[in-house]
């Protein structure tokens, strides 16, 4: 071998199937983020409510696929989306009595929760587009 020879070296643990799996997870992630985004925007825009079924579908997708993302940068995105939905759900339920008893303060609380949820989804989408993990 001369010093000008090119040697093709494949990184340890990297195979073509790893790349395909990563692309598949990214596709699942984008579908989930889009479903979350539709729900989040509808929650913020008055009169634009969509079915909670979209949110449940996205949550189930994330729960089913999250184990495949373990050890990758995409793992944080699955955790981010799941925790966003769960926290938003807890906050909506916790403020439900306020919403039912005193409409205006309850509506304000729900608007704040909806904006927070929208922020988290957009932040996750921006990080996924950049190929980066999501951090708090």
């Amino acid at each position: 071998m001369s010093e000008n020879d090119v040697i093709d070296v494949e990184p340890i643990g990297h195979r073509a199937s790893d790349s395909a799996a990563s692309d598949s997870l990214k596709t699942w992630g984008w579908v989930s983020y889009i479903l979350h985004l539709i729900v989040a925007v509808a929650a913020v825009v008055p009169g634009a409510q969509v079915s909670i079924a979209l949110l449940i579908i996205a949550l189930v997708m994330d729960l089913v696929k999250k184990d495949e993302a373990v050890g990758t940068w995409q793992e944080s995105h699955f955790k981010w989306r799941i925790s966003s939905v769960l926290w938003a759900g807890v906050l909506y339920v916790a403020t439900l009595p306020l919403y039912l008893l005193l409409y205006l303060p309850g509506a304000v609380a729900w608007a704040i929760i909806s904006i927070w949820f929208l922020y988290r989804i957009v932040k996750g989408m921006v990080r996924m587009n950049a190929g980066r993990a999501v951090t708090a």
Side-chain angles (χ1 to χ4, degrees):
M1 263 190 353
S2 71
E3 75 179 63
N4 292 332
D5 287 343
V6 175
I7 299 173
D8 188 18
V9 179
E10 189 172 296
I12 296 175
H14 181 75
R15 300 179 301 270
S17 63
D18 289 344
S19 179
S22 178
D23 289 345
S24 173
L25 283 174
K26 199 168 185 180
T27 300
W28 279 99
W30 277 116
V31 170
S32 179
Y33 269 128
I34 300 263
L35 292 174
H36 282 89
L37 183 65
I38 291 168
V39 173
V41 168
V44 174
V45 175
Q49 297 300 319
V50 296
S51 172
I52 194 166
L54 292 179
L55 190 63
I56 292 171
I57 289 168
L59 179 62
V60 168
M61 285 173 47
D62 288 337
L63 290 170
V64 168
K65 298 300 266 182
K66 73 177 179 155
D67 290 340
E68 293 178 30
V70 172
T72 70
W73 64 270
Q74 294 179 44
E75 178 180 15
S76 68
H77 287 275
F78 283 89
K79 289 180 179 179
W80 182 259
R81 289 187 302 266
I82 291 167
S83 68
S84 295
V85 170
L86 295 179
W87 273 110
V90 166
L91 293 171
Y92 281 127
V93 169
T95 58
L96 182 61
L98 181 63
Y99 186 81
L100 295 175
L101 297 174
L102 303 167
Y103 174 75
L104 187 58
V108 169
W110 280 26
I112 292 169
I113 296 165
S114 297
I115 291 168
W116 170 83
F117 183 68
L118 178 60
Y119 161 77
R120 286 185 58 98
I121 296 307
V122 170
K123 180 179 179 179
M125 292 177 86
V126 168
R127 295 282 170 93
M128 178 168 268
N129 190 50
R132 296 177 30 213
V134 181
T135 56

